[in-house]
Amino acid sequence: MPDFVFIKDKNLSYTAPPYNPPVRYLESGDVFNEFDKTNNIYDSVRKLFIKMGLDSENIGTAKWNPFRGLIKDNYKIVIKPNMVLEESGKNVGKKCTTTQADIIRPILDYIYLLKISERINVEVRICDVPIQG
């Protein structure tokens, strides 16, 4: 896997629920019919999957899915979005560490697309533990 350098893009901003994709992507076909042109996070997550070379032989086709070959029938998937507060004393309420839902949405969408395209049974759980102190 290639090395990555992550640079914060000042043009990115979080969007409002339900975090719809900004456009109809070739690989999503007609599955999603509501779009949010302001959702640049969704597109960034998608581009990251492509840059990582996930399902590289199908990039640019309707068959592409970053989880093809990684997720199989009857898998149980846990997404741990890091919903933990890292704060104490005077910092309470100021330094929360969480993964935004608009980053989780494309992950769930691609799992769903793989589930329907491959006709596989997949169980997804989003869970975390709010450890404090």
Side-chain angles (χ1 to χ4, degrees):
M1 192 167 282
D3 291 330
F4 289 102
V5 175
F6 291 95
I7 300 169
K8 184 175 180 179
D9 186 339
K10 293 180 174 115
N11 296 316
L12 293 178
S13 59
Y14 294 115
T15 55
Y19 314 109
N20 292 319
V23 297
R24 183 182 312 279
Y25 296 110
L26 184 61
E27 64 272 9
S28 63
D30 293 330
V31 174
F32 306 116
N33 294 310
E34 294 183 24
F35 305 97
D36 178 355
K37 292 182 189 319
T38 67
N39 191 348
N40 48 23
I41 298 292
Y42 196 108
D43 194 57
S44 293
V45 172
R46 180 180 178 271
K47 286 177 181 173
L48 177 63
F49 290 151
I50 290 169
K51 195 168 193 171
M52 290 173 67
L54 298 175
D55 194 24
S56 60
E57 59 273 8
N58 291 307
I59 292 173
T61 72
K63 191 176 177 184
W64 180 73
N65 189 298
F67 302 123
R68 182 176 316 295
L70 299 174
I71 296 174
K72 301 194 186 314
D73 194 30
N74 295 314
Y75 269 30
K76 291 178 180 26
I77 300 163
V78 172
I79 297 174
K80 184 190 175 299
N82 206 25
M83 293 185 207
V84 176
L85 296 176
E86 290 185 359
E87 52 191 23
S88 62
K90 65 182 180 180
N91 292 321
V92 172
K94 296 178 182 172
K95 294 184 176 182
C96 300
T97 302
T98 62
T99 301
Q100 289 292 122
D102 50 0
I103 293 173
I104 297 169
R105 168 70 191 266
I107 295 167
L108 293 173
D109 283 356
Y110 281 106
I111 292 169
Y112 176 72
L113 289 170
L114 186 66
K115 182 177 178 170
I116 62 175
S117 69
E118 302 287 320
R119 293 180 174 86
I120 60 174
N121 182 33
V122 175
E123 181 180 317
V124 178
R125 297 196 184 223
I126 300 173
C127 55
D128 211 327
V129 59
I131 298 174
Q132 300 299 316

